[in-house]
Amino acid sequence: MIRFSGITPSGHATLGNHLGAIRRWAREGGPGDLYFVSDLHGMTSAYHPQRLRVRARELLATLVAAGIEADQVFVQSDLLPQLGTLTWILECTCSFGEAARMTQFKEKSARRELEATPVRVGLFTYPVLMAADILLQGADEVPVGDDQAQHVELARTLARRFNGTFGEAFVVPAAVTPPAAARVRDLANPARKMDKSARDAVGVLYVMDEPDLLRRKIKRAVTDGLGRLEFRPDEQPGLANLLEILAACTGKPARDVPAEYSSYAELKEAVAEAVIEELRPVRERTKELLDDGVELDRIRARGAELAAERSAHRLATARRLAGVG
Ligand code: TYM
């Protein structure tokens, strides 16, 4: 069984990435699993090359710091020749309409148009690159937050279509979404997900934030004037988000949390302590790895080598069946 997933270095890792993805990958990982830093996906909007490089390195360190085995991580661009090849094959399998239906593309391109910034073709085709990531590695399961489930669905469609048209090359992957904290929300604006590429960071908790900063951001989290400590996501989204975060950190159901607190302030203090303790070991280990450049380079090179070896036969089969190899 191969579980496979990735994270894009479009910013520093957030608590949402940690609870919704990285922590789960580390806890539930099996010997066949593979996780990666999708730096190629970080190029779909204006970006700074040096920053992309540094963040990719930081995220690689964070994956290992969170407990994922060092020989089960790699950086996507280290497999650029293989992925470029497979992306083209899959682009010629995917219809324009299918790509245009992707909610994330629709949202992001609408935002860019409002801001009068160009929408890159890479933003449009990136779900196909994501399908190439998944299908190249023969993933059986792709654990993702619910924001990525539609992209995994596209990978399933393309795998089935390729297999049906040209012959069996790919495993049809399944998306797996975590039961708790599938979507951690921005503390300042609970209508939005907590996003590492958000421009305004007041409501975003980063894995690398120092405890004091985490505490301050949580204290300022938007709640409501109702003063009712209950788990009601529709009526009290800000409060529900805090309850879900605390639940995810403590392992208790979010519905059971309110009974333990008598005020929003008391709850926020508990959330802050839980988040600080949850992130502390990851932050400290990430720093250690970043300080040990030789070890991190070794992990990266080995990861790339293993991921390339694991996928070579699948790419060769796909090329042969597609008539280009
Ligand atoms: P990315 O970098 O946006 O997010 C990485 C993972 O974190 C989850 N996530 C969240 N979970 C809970 N609450 C949040 N606020 C939150 N924000 C993000 C995401 O669901 C994701 O699981 N395109 C992908 C990376 C990727 C990929 C792949 C994943 C590239 N190729 C192939 C799986 C398979 C992305 O940008 O994730």
Side-chain angles (χ1 to χ4, degrees):
M1 221 284 274
I2 300 176
R3 271 197 215 98
F4 176 79
S5 200
I7 179 162
T8 303
S10 48
H12 302 288
T14 68
L15 180 72
N17 298 130
H18 175 77
L19 294 177
I22 303 172
R23 182 179 78 166
R24 192 175 152 87
W25 302 343
R27 283 189 181 169
E28 298 174 10
D33 295 0
L34 204 51
Y35 299 99
F36 75 112
V37 178
S38 45
D39 54 348
L40 300 175
H41 293 238
M43 299 165 65
T44 55
S45 56
Y47 73 99
H48 192 291
Q50 186 52 18
R51 211 173 292 154
L52 182 69
R53 198 187 300 283
V54 169
R55 284 182 181 159
R57 200 173 169 74
E58 183 183 294
L59 280 185
L60 181 71
T62 300
L63 295 185
V64 177
I68 299 173
E69 294 296 329
D71 58 1
Q72 292 181 316
V73 291
F74 72 97
V75 176
Q76 187 184 28
S77 56
D78 292 340
L79 265 66
L80 185 51
Q82 294 90 327
L83 287 169
T85 304
L86 188 53
T87 299
W88 179 247
I89 292 173
L90 293 176
E91 277 181 13
C92 297
T93 310
C94 182
S95 75
F96 181 86
E98 280 164 338
R101 269 201 294 280
M102 294 295 113
T103 309
Q104 202 179 65
F105 171 74
K106 286 197 271 188
E107 284 174 6
K108 286 194 178 173
S109 58
R111 224 182 297 151
R112 304 269 145 82
E113 268 161 22
L114 272 181
E115 294 162 355
T117 47
V119 178
R120 299 176 185 210
V121 175
L123 183 68
F124 184 65
T125 58
Y126 124 91
V128 185
L129 172 59
M130 183 161 158
D133 294 328
I134 296 169
L135 301 185
L136 181 67
Q137 298 299 339
D140 300 287
E141 284 188 359
V142 185
V144 284
D146 57 7
D147 58 326
Q148 295 291 329
Q150 194 188 25
H151 295 160
V152 181
E153 196 51 49
L154 181 70
R156 289 167 63 80
T157 303
L158 299 185
R160 280 205 209 95
R161 187 170 305 143
F162 185 98
N163 290 348
T165 311
F166 299 115
E168 284 294 317
F170 300 120
V171 175
V172 179
V176 189
T177 41
R183 194 178 174 89
V184 177
R185 292 163 184 283
D186 190 298
L187 299 186
N189 179 0
R192 275 204 325 233
K193 77 162 185 174
M194 188 177 282
D195 186 354
K196 59 176 133 53
S197 46
R199 259 192 227 141
D200 192 352
V202 286
V204 182
L205 304 174
Y206 296 103
V207 172
M208 298 305 283
D209 279 348
E210 295 289 335
D212 274 354
L213 185 55
L214 291 171
R215 203 172 279 121
R216 254 181 286 142
K217 287 181 183 174
I218 292 168
K219 228 179 213 167
R220 275 195 240 119
V222 168
T223 48
D224 52 70
L226 300 175
R228 275 178 70 170
L229 260 169
E230 278 174 47
F231 182 65
R232 302 192 305 163
D234 290 337
E235 294 87 350
Q236 297 173 274
L239 184 69
N241 188 35
L242 290 174
L243 292 170
E244 282 195 320
I245 291 172
L246 187 53
C249 292
T250 57
K252 289 181 196 150
R255 252 165 234 298
D256 298 350
V257 176
E260 295 173 31
Y261 303 96
S262 56
S263 69
Y264 288 3
E266 203 189 322
L267 173 74
K268 283 181 173 179
E269 260 168 49
V271 173
E273 286 321 305
V275 169
I276 289 167
E277 289 321 311
E278 176 67 36
L279 296 181
R280 187 191 302 281
V282 186
R283 178 172 48 91
E284 288 176 356
R285 181 82 186 109
T286 302
K287 272 192 185 159
E288 279 168 25
L289 278 166
L290 290 171
D291 288 343
D292 186 353
V294 176
E295 171 65 359
L296 198 54
D297 286 345
R298 194 195 58 75
I299 290 174
R300 178 167 175 168
R302 181 80 186 123
E305 197 185 329
L306 289 171
E309 266 171 28
R310 286 170 60 145
S311 57
H313 71 284
R314 215 165 286 114
L315 183 62
T317 304
R319 283 187 60 168
R320 182 172 46 76
L321 291 171
V324 287

